[in-house]
PDB file of all heavy atoms in Angstrom:
ATOM      1  N   GLU A 203      42.188   3.251 -37.431  1.00  0.00           N
ATOM      2  CA  GLU A 203      43.233   3.909 -38.243  1.00  0.00           C
ATOM      3  C   GLU A 203      42.694   4.249 -39.632  1.00  0.00           C
ATOM      4  O   GLU A 203      42.982   5.314 -40.180  1.00  0.00           O
ATOM      5  CB  GLU A 203      44.463   2.981 -38.346  1.00  0.00           C
ATOM      6  CG  GLU A 203      45.644   3.591 -39.051  1.00  0.00           C
ATOM      7  CD  GLU A 203      46.359   4.673 -38.239  1.00  0.00           C
ATOM      8  OE1 GLU A 203      46.006   4.854 -37.047  1.00  0.00           O
ATOM      9  OE2 GLU A 203      47.229   5.321 -38.788  1.00  0.00           O
ATOM     10  N   ILE A 204      41.903   3.353 -40.183  1.00  0.00           N
ATOM     11  CA  ILE A 204      41.330   3.592 -41.508  1.00  0.00           C
ATOM     12  C   ILE A 204      40.421   4.832 -41.470  1.00  0.00           C
ATOM     13  O   ILE A 204      40.516   5.723 -42.291  1.00  0.00           O
ATOM     14  CB  ILE A 204      40.518   2.342 -41.978  1.00  0.00           C
ATOM     15  CG1 ILE A 204      41.473   1.161 -42.199  1.00  0.00           C
ATOM     16  CG2 ILE A 204      39.712   2.660 -43.221  1.00  0.00           C
ATOM     17  CD1 ILE A 204      40.758  -0.160 -42.456  1.00  0.00           C
ATOM     18  N   MET A 205      39.554   4.876 -40.437  1.00  0.00           N
ATOM     19  CA  MET A 205      38.620   5.997 -40.320  1.00  0.00           C
ATOM     20  C   MET A 205      39.350   7.305 -40.022  1.00  0.00           C
ATOM     21  O   MET A 205      39.007   8.334 -40.567  1.00  0.00           O
ATOM     22  CB  MET A 205      37.612   5.690 -39.215  1.00  0.00           C
ATOM     23  CG  MET A 205      36.722   4.532 -39.631  1.00  0.00           C
ATOM     24  SD  MET A 205      35.421   4.238 -38.374  1.00  0.00           S
ATOM     25  CE  MET A 205      35.868   2.607 -37.864  1.00  0.00           C
ATOM     26  N   LYS A 206      40.337   7.202 -39.153  1.00  0.00           N
ATOM     27  CA  LYS A 206      41.118   8.400 -38.787  1.00  0.00           C
ATOM     28  C   LYS A 206      41.755   9.019 -40.003  1.00  0.00           C
ATOM     29  O   LYS A 206      41.976  10.250 -40.043  1.00  0.00           O
ATOM     30  CB  LYS A 206      42.220   7.963 -37.802  1.00  0.00           C
ATOM     31  CG  LYS A 206      42.444   8.933 -36.668  1.00  0.00           C
ATOM     32  CD  LYS A 206      43.563   8.461 -35.737  1.00  0.00           C
ATOM     33  CE  LYS A 206      44.928   8.851 -36.252  1.00  0.00           C
ATOM     34  NZ  LYS A 206      46.018   8.323 -35.364  1.00  0.00           N
ATOM     35  N   ASN A 207      42.077   8.176 -40.974  1.00  0.00           N
ATOM     36  CA  ASN A 207      42.696   8.710 -42.175  1.00  0.00           C
ATOM     37  C   ASN A 207      41.667   8.980 -43.273  1.00  0.00           C
ATOM     38  O   ASN A 207      41.988   9.031 -44.451  1.00  0.00           O
ATOM     39  CB  ASN A 207      43.775   7.720 -42.667  1.00  0.00           C
ATOM     40  CG  ASN A 207      45.024   7.837 -41.819  1.00  0.00           C
ATOM     41  OD1 ASN A 207      45.840   8.718 -42.028  1.00  0.00           O
ATOM     42  ND2 ASN A 207      45.143   6.956 -40.827  1.00  0.00           N
ATOM     43  N   ASP A 208      40.416   9.112 -42.797  1.00  0.00           N
ATOM     44  CA  ASP A 208      39.386   9.642 -43.670  1.00  0.00           C
ATOM     45  C   ASP A 208      39.034   8.737 -44.837  1.00  0.00           C
ATOM     46  O   ASP A 208      38.623   9.204 -45.902  1.00  0.00           O
ATOM     47  CB  ASP A 208      39.849  11.031 -44.165  1.00  0.00           C
ATOM     48  CG  ASP A 208      38.672  11.906 -44.492  1.00  0.00           C
ATOM     49  OD1 ASP A 208      37.579  11.644 -43.952  1.00  0.00           O
ATOM     50  OD2 ASP A 208      38.818  12.828 -45.323  1.00  0.00           O
ATOM     51  N   VAL A 209      39.209   7.454 -44.644  1.00  0.00           N
ATOM     52  CA  VAL A 209      38.640   6.479 -45.598  1.00  0.00           C
ATOM     53  C   VAL A 209      37.325   6.049 -45.020  1.00  0.00           C
ATOM     54  O   VAL A 209      37.235   5.708 -43.829  1.00  0.00           O
ATOM     55  CB  VAL A 209      39.577   5.262 -45.766  1.00  0.00           C
ATOM     56  CG1 VAL A 209      38.855   4.145 -46.507  1.00  0.00           C
ATOM     57  CG2 VAL A 209      40.858   5.691 -46.505  1.00  0.00           C
ATOM     58  N   ASP A 210      36.276   6.091 -45.817  1.00  0.00           N
ATOM     59  CA  ASP A 210      34.953   5.676 -45.348  1.00  0.00           C
ATOM     60  C   ASP A 210      34.908   4.161 -45.329  1.00  0.00           C
ATOM     61  O   ASP A 210      34.963   3.517 -46.371  1.00  0.00           O
ATOM     62  CB  ASP A 210      33.906   6.277 -46.302  1.00  0.00           C
ATOM     63  CG  ASP A 210      32.485   6.058 -45.774  1.00  0.00           C
ATOM     64  OD1 ASP A 210      32.356   5.703 -44.577  1.00  0.00           O
ATOM     65  OD2 ASP A 210      31.544   6.211 -46.543  1.00  0.00           O
ATOM     66  N   LEU A 211      34.814   3.596 -44.129  1.00  0.00           N
ATOM     67  CA  LEU A 211      34.857   2.133 -43.985  1.00  0.00           C
ATOM     68  C   LEU A 211      33.441   1.589 -43.816  1.00  0.00           C
ATOM     69  O   LEU A 211      32.723   1.975 -42.877  1.00  0.00           O
ATOM     70  CB  LEU A 211      35.709   1.762 -42.779  1.00  0.00           C
ATOM     71  CG  LEU A 211      35.806   0.277 -42.431  1.00  0.00           C
ATOM     72  CD1 LEU A 211      36.449  -0.519 -43.544  1.00  0.00           C
ATOM     73  CD2 LEU A 211      36.561   0.093 -41.129  1.00  0.00           C
ATOM     74  N   VAL A 212      33.021   0.725 -44.711  1.00  0.00           N
ATOM     75  CA  VAL A 212      31.694   0.108 -44.658  1.00  0.00           C
ATOM     76  C   VAL A 212      31.850  -1.368 -44.420  1.00  0.00           C
ATOM     77  O   VAL A 212      32.407  -2.091 -45.263  1.00  0.00           O
ATOM     78  CB  VAL A 212      30.912   0.354 -45.974  1.00  0.00           C
ATOM     79  CG1 VAL A 212      29.510  -0.243 -45.885  1.00  0.00           C
ATOM     80  CG2 VAL A 212      30.843   1.834 -46.286  1.00  0.00           C
ATOM     81  N   LEU A 213      31.397  -1.832 -43.244  1.00  0.00           N
ATOM     82  CA  LEU A 213      31.531  -3.270 -42.929  1.00  0.00           C
ATOM     83  C   LEU A 213      30.158  -3.943 -42.988  1.00  0.00           C
ATOM     84  O   LEU A 213      29.123  -3.304 -42.799  1.00  0.00           O
ATOM     85  CB  LEU A 213      32.100  -3.439 -41.515  1.00  0.00           C
ATOM     86  CG  LEU A 213      33.524  -2.946 -41.317  1.00  0.00           C
ATOM     87  CD1 LEU A 213      33.906  -2.984 -39.841  1.00  0.00           C
ATOM     88  CD2 LEU A 213      34.504  -3.780 -42.152  1.00  0.00           C
ATOM     89  N   GLY A 214      30.158  -5.219 -43.267  1.00  0.00           N
ATOM     90  CA  GLY A 214      28.916  -6.001 -43.241  1.00  0.00           C
ATOM     91  C   GLY A 214      27.923  -5.592 -44.296  1.00  0.00           C
ATOM     92  O   GLY A 214      26.722  -5.712 -44.112  1.00  0.00           O
ATOM     93  N   ASP A 215      28.422  -5.110 -45.399  1.00  0.00           N
ATOM     94  CA  ASP A 215      27.538  -4.718 -46.471  1.00  0.00           C
ATOM     95  C   ASP A 215      28.247  -5.087 -47.769  1.00  0.00           C
ATOM     96  O   ASP A 215      29.469  -5.107 -47.845  1.00  0.00           O
ATOM     97  CB  ASP A 215      27.280  -3.192 -46.413  1.00  0.00           C
ATOM     98  CG  ASP A 215      25.918  -2.833 -47.017  1.00  0.00           C
ATOM     99  OD1 ASP A 215      25.336  -3.658 -47.733  1.00  0.00           O
ATOM    100  OD2 ASP A 215      25.476  -1.694 -46.774  1.00  0.00           O
ATOM    101  N   SER A 216      27.444  -5.407 -48.797  1.00  0.00           N
ATOM    102  CA  SER A 216      28.126  -5.847 -50.022  1.00  0.00           C
ATOM    103  C   SER A 216      27.583  -5.120 -51.249  1.00  0.00           C
ATOM    104  O   SER A 216      26.514  -4.482 -51.178  1.00  0.00           O
ATOM    105  CB  SER A 216      27.931  -7.369 -50.196  1.00  0.00           C
ATOM    106  OG  SER A 216      26.555  -7.661 -50.183  1.00  0.00           O
ATOM    107  N   VAL A 217      28.330  -5.216 -52.306  1.00  0.00           N
ATOM    108  CA  VAL A 217      27.962  -4.462 -53.502  1.00  0.00           C
ATOM    109  C   VAL A 217      26.923  -5.225 -54.298  1.00  0.00           C
ATOM    110  O   VAL A 217      27.065  -6.432 -54.538  1.00  0.00           O
ATOM    111  CB  VAL A 217      29.220  -4.237 -54.374  1.00  0.00           C
ATOM    112  CG1 VAL A 217      28.848  -3.559 -55.684  1.00  0.00           C
ATOM    113  CG2 VAL A 217      30.240  -3.421 -53.594  1.00  0.00           C
ATOM    114  N   GLN A 218      25.845  -4.539 -54.637  1.00  0.00           N
ATOM    115  CA  GLN A 218      24.803  -5.185 -55.428  1.00  0.00           C
ATOM    116  C   GLN A 218      24.842  -4.736 -56.879  1.00  0.00           C
ATOM    117  O   GLN A 218      24.585  -5.502 -57.773  1.00  0.00           O
ATOM    118  CB  GLN A 218      23.426  -4.872 -54.812  1.00  0.00           C
ATOM    119  CG  GLN A 218      22.434  -5.981 -55.076  1.00  0.00           C
ATOM    120  CD  GLN A 218      21.395  -6.020 -53.982  1.00  0.00           C
ATOM    121  OE1 GLN A 218      20.761  -4.997 -53.668  1.00  0.00           O
ATOM    122  NE2 GLN A 218      21.185  -7.163 -53.383  1.00  0.00           N
ATOM    123  N   LYS A 219      25.165  -3.468 -57.033  1.00  0.00           N
ATOM    124  CA  LYS A 219      25.116  -2.910 -58.389  1.00  0.00           C
ATOM    125  C   LYS A 219      26.166  -1.810 -58.517  1.00  0.00           C
ATOM    126  O   LYS A 219      26.380  -1.027 -57.595  1.00  0.00           O
ATOM    127  CB  LYS A 219      23.711  -2.341 -58.625  1.00  0.00           C
ATOM    128  CG  LYS A 219      23.459  -1.832 -60.029  1.00  0.00           C
ATOM    129  CD  LYS A 219      22.075  -1.290 -60.177  1.00  0.00           C
ATOM    130  CE  LYS A 219      22.020  -0.404 -61.448  1.00  0.00           C
ATOM    131  NZ  LYS A 219      20.717   0.205 -61.645  1.00  0.00           N
ATOM    132  N   ILE A 220      26.800  -1.781 -59.666  1.00  0.00           N
ATOM    133  CA  ILE A 220      27.758  -0.697 -59.944  1.00  0.00           C
ATOM    134  C   ILE A 220      27.205   0.140 -61.086  1.00  0.00           C
ATOM    135  O   ILE A 220      27.051  -0.373 -62.203  1.00  0.00           O
ATOM    136  CB  ILE A 220      29.141  -1.269 -60.302  1.00  0.00           C
ATOM    137  CG1 ILE A 220      29.712  -2.119 -59.141  1.00  0.00           C
ATOM    138  CG2 ILE A 220      30.118  -0.133 -60.638  1.00  0.00           C
ATOM    139  CD1 ILE A 220      30.970  -2.885 -59.454  1.00  0.00           C
ATOM    140  N   ALA A 221      26.866   1.372 -60.793  1.00  0.00           N
ATOM    141  CA  ALA A 221      26.388   2.274 -61.848  1.00  0.00           C
ATOM    142  C   ALA A 221      27.542   3.152 -62.286  1.00  0.00           C
ATOM    143  O   ALA A 221      28.653   3.044 -61.803  1.00  0.00           O
ATOM    144  CB  ALA A 221      25.212   3.096 -61.309  1.00  0.00           C
ATOM    145  N   LYS A 222      27.246   4.050 -63.216  1.00  0.00           N
ATOM    146  CA  LYS A 222      28.309   4.905 -63.797  1.00  0.00           C
ATOM    147  C   LYS A 222      28.985   5.744 -62.708  1.00  0.00           C
ATOM    148  O   LYS A 222      30.197   5.877 -62.693  1.00  0.00           O
ATOM    149  CB  LYS A 222      27.673   5.801 -64.862  1.00  0.00           C
ATOM    150  CG  LYS A 222      28.655   6.657 -65.634  1.00  0.00           C
ATOM    151  CD  LYS A 222      29.359   5.875 -66.752  1.00  0.00           C
ATOM    152  CE  LYS A 222      30.583   6.626 -67.247  1.00  0.00           C
ATOM    153  NZ  LYS A 222      31.777   5.811 -67.352  1.00  0.00           N
ATOM    154  N   ASP A 223      28.212   6.336 -61.836  1.00  0.00           N
ATOM    155  CA  ASP A 223      28.771   7.282 -60.878  1.00  0.00           C
ATOM    156  C   ASP A 223      28.632   6.841 -59.424  1.00  0.00           C
ATOM    157  O   ASP A 223      28.964   7.591 -58.530  1.00  0.00           O
ATOM    158  CB  ASP A 223      28.031   8.649 -61.013  1.00  0.00           C
ATOM    159  CG  ASP A 223      28.555   9.398 -62.175  1.00  0.00           C
ATOM    160  OD1 ASP A 223      29.752   9.189 -62.526  1.00  0.00           O
ATOM    161  OD2 ASP A 223      27.805  10.177 -62.785  1.00  0.00           O
ATOM    162  N   LYS A 224      28.113   5.651 -59.215  1.00  0.00           N
ATOM    163  CA  LYS A 224      27.911   5.212 -57.844  1.00  0.00           C
ATOM    164  C   LYS A 224      27.881   3.712 -57.737  1.00  0.00           C
ATOM    165  O   LYS A 224      27.701   2.968 -58.704  1.00  0.00           O
ATOM    166  CB  LYS A 224      26.655   5.826 -57.259  1.00  0.00           C
ATOM    167  CG  LYS A 224      25.388   5.391 -57.910  1.00  0.00           C
ATOM    168  CD  LYS A 224      24.192   6.208 -57.392  1.00  0.00           C
ATOM    169  CE  LYS A 224      22.948   5.866 -58.197  1.00  0.00           C
ATOM    170  NZ  LYS A 224      21.871   6.837 -57.988  1.00  0.00           N
ATOM    171  N   VAL A 225      28.059   3.290 -56.486  1.00  0.00           N
ATOM    172  CA  VAL A 225      27.970   1.871 -56.134  1.00  0.00           C
ATOM    173  C   VAL A 225      26.746   1.736 -55.242  1.00  0.00           C
ATOM    174  O   VAL A 225      26.562   2.537 -54.322  1.00  0.00           O
ATOM    175  CB  VAL A 225      29.245   1.441 -55.406  1.00  0.00           C
ATOM    176  CG1 VAL A 225      29.047   0.070 -54.753  1.00  0.00           C
ATOM    177  CG2 VAL A 225      30.423   1.449 -56.349  1.00  0.00           C
ATOM    178  N   ILE A 226      25.930   0.725 -55.496  1.00  0.00           N
ATOM    179  CA  ILE A 226      24.741   0.514 -54.655  1.00  0.00           C
ATOM    180  C   ILE A 226      24.925  -0.780 -53.851  1.00  0.00           C
ATOM    181  O   ILE A 226      25.220  -1.844 -54.407  1.00  0.00           O
ATOM    182  CB  ILE A 226      23.473   0.457 -55.534  1.00  0.00           C
ATOM    183  CG1 ILE A 226      23.308   1.808 -56.254  1.00  0.00           C
ATOM    184  CG2 ILE A 226      22.242   0.164 -54.666  1.00  0.00           C
ATOM    185  CD1 ILE A 226      22.790   1.697 -57.645  1.00  0.00           C
ATOM    186  N   LEU A 227      24.784  -0.644 -52.540  1.00  0.00           N
ATOM    187  CA  LEU A 227      25.039  -1.761 -51.661  1.00  0.00           C
ATOM    188  C   LEU A 227      23.752  -2.544 -51.352  1.00  0.00           C
ATOM    189  O   LEU A 227      22.652  -2.052 -51.616  1.00  0.00           O
ATOM    190  CB  LEU A 227      25.648  -1.272 -50.346  1.00  0.00           C
ATOM    191  CG  LEU A 227      26.947  -0.459 -50.478  1.00  0.00           C
ATOM    192  CD1 LEU A 227      27.504  -0.083 -49.101  1.00  0.00           C
ATOM    193  CD2 LEU A 227      28.002  -1.206 -51.279  1.00  0.00           C
ATOM    194  N   ALA A 228      23.927  -3.725 -50.791  1.00  0.00           N
ATOM    195  CA  ALA A 228      22.776  -4.589 -50.465  1.00  0.00           C
ATOM    196  C   ALA A 228      21.850  -3.893 -49.500  1.00  0.00           C
ATOM    197  O   ALA A 228      20.613  -4.077 -49.555  1.00  0.00           O
ATOM    198  CB  ALA A 228      23.292  -5.888 -49.842  1.00  0.00           C
TER     199      ALA A 228
END
Side-chain angles (χ1 to χ4, degrees):
Chain A
E203 185 72 8
I204 293 171
M205 293 184 243
K206 221 180 84 182
N207 284 279
D208 207 24
V209 168
D210 188 13
L211 177 63
V212 181
L213 294 172
D215 208 344
S216 57
V217 176
Q218 209 153 52
K219 184 179 163 183
I220 300 171
K222 185 80 194 132
D223 282 331
K224 65 188 173 194
V225 167
I226 298 142
L227 304 183

